Amino acid sequence: GFSVMILSDGSWPYQRPSVEINIPAELRSIHDRFSQFYDKQHSGRKLSWLYTQSKGELEWLKKKPNHRFQCSTYQMTILLQYKYRDTITFNELQTNTGIERERLDQLVKQLMKFNVLTCSAANQDSPMGGDCEVCLNNDYSNRKIRVNLAVPLKNDIKAESEQTHQSVKDDRMWVIQACIVRIMKSRKQLKHSLLIAEVMKQLQNFQPSIPGIKKNNWHSHGERLYCPSGRRE
């Protein structure tokens, strides 16, 4: 089956891919059909595919018992290159998949750790050379029938964590500012210390820090909106 989750750009802290990959023919048809369907339903919107968040399933038929690999879209794009060949150079993989070289290096080494791919010339501590021959391990075996290969890369985890942290920080800034506006509409004038205490009292979903409240420039914000001309606290 094929299912898609549509996420609003402003609500989810995911970063769009900087480079579009070459979707394999096995996935391209359904990928393009859904993109065309979405464009007809929502004119003027741009659909971006988050390959780091998408995954699928591949069936391993090389050796009994058959296995089912749960893969990220990147992993599927790499493994489907081996449909008719057992050996491909790293440069060929990069050209065929369109995956950025640094990311491809990490993905290939990740699949090597799972023993799905092999490369005798690869070194985990240094980038793979373009002429390195990356081979499919036809002798792969595992006691499990369903094998999860879709483990996030360390760089993706770090980037997502940083982006999520910044998004939460920005959202809280607007919540604090809205709270200040709400209080000042009600009180009109309020001393600095009392305003901070009231903000901290009203915000129950998270505990804002005093520096965080001050950072929102509440004094000039509130003064500009609510203090009569010529009067200052």
Side-chain angles (χ1 to χ4, degrees), residues 113-159:
K113 286 184 178 179
F114 284 114
N115 208 29
V116 178
L117 297 180
T118 63
C119 180
S120 58
N123 186 329
Q124 290 292 336
D125 298 325
S126 60
M128 297 184 68
D131 294 331
C132 282
E133 293 187 337
V134 184
C135 306
L136 191 68
N137 182 13
N138 288 313
D139 294 323
Y140 175 85
S141 63
N142 197 313
R143 288 179 296 177
K144 296 180 179 179
I145 299 300
R146 297 176 68 91
V147 183
N148 180 27
L149 305 180
V151 178
L153 299 175
K154 290 182 180 180
N155 286 5
D156 289 339
I157 295 174
K158 181 180 178 182

Side-chain angles (χ1 to χ4, degrees), residues 25 30 41 69 121 207:
I30 188 67
Q41 296 293 317
F69 292 155
Q207 188 64 55

Side-chain angles (χ1 to χ4, degrees), residues 19-83:
V19 178
E20 285 292 321
I21 64 174
N22 300 327
I23 297 294
E26 293 83 355
L27 305 176
R28 174 59 66 183
S29 176
I30 188 67
H31 175 281
D32 290 350
R33 274 163 44 201
F34 183 83
S35 294
Q36 292 166 7
F37 164 78
Y38 186 84
D39 289 342
K40 288 180 181 178
Q41 296 293 317
H42 304 283
S43 178
R45 296 186 186 178
K46 179 175 174 56
L47 190 66
S48 297
W49 294 83
L50 300 175
Y51 302 120
T52 57
Q53 306 300 322
S54 56
K55 59 184 178 180
E57 196 169 87
L58 291 178
E59 190 170 7
W60 178 269
L61 302 175
K62 292 284 186 178
K63 185 179 179 181
K64 297 291 184 179
N66 296 339
H67 298 287
R68 289 186 176 274
F69 292 155
Q70 294 171 298
C71 307
S72 68
T73 301
Y74 285 112
Q75 291 172 327
M76 292 177 70
T77 301
I78 293 170
L79 292 177
L80 285 171
Q81 304 302 314
Y82 292 90
K83 190 172 182 179

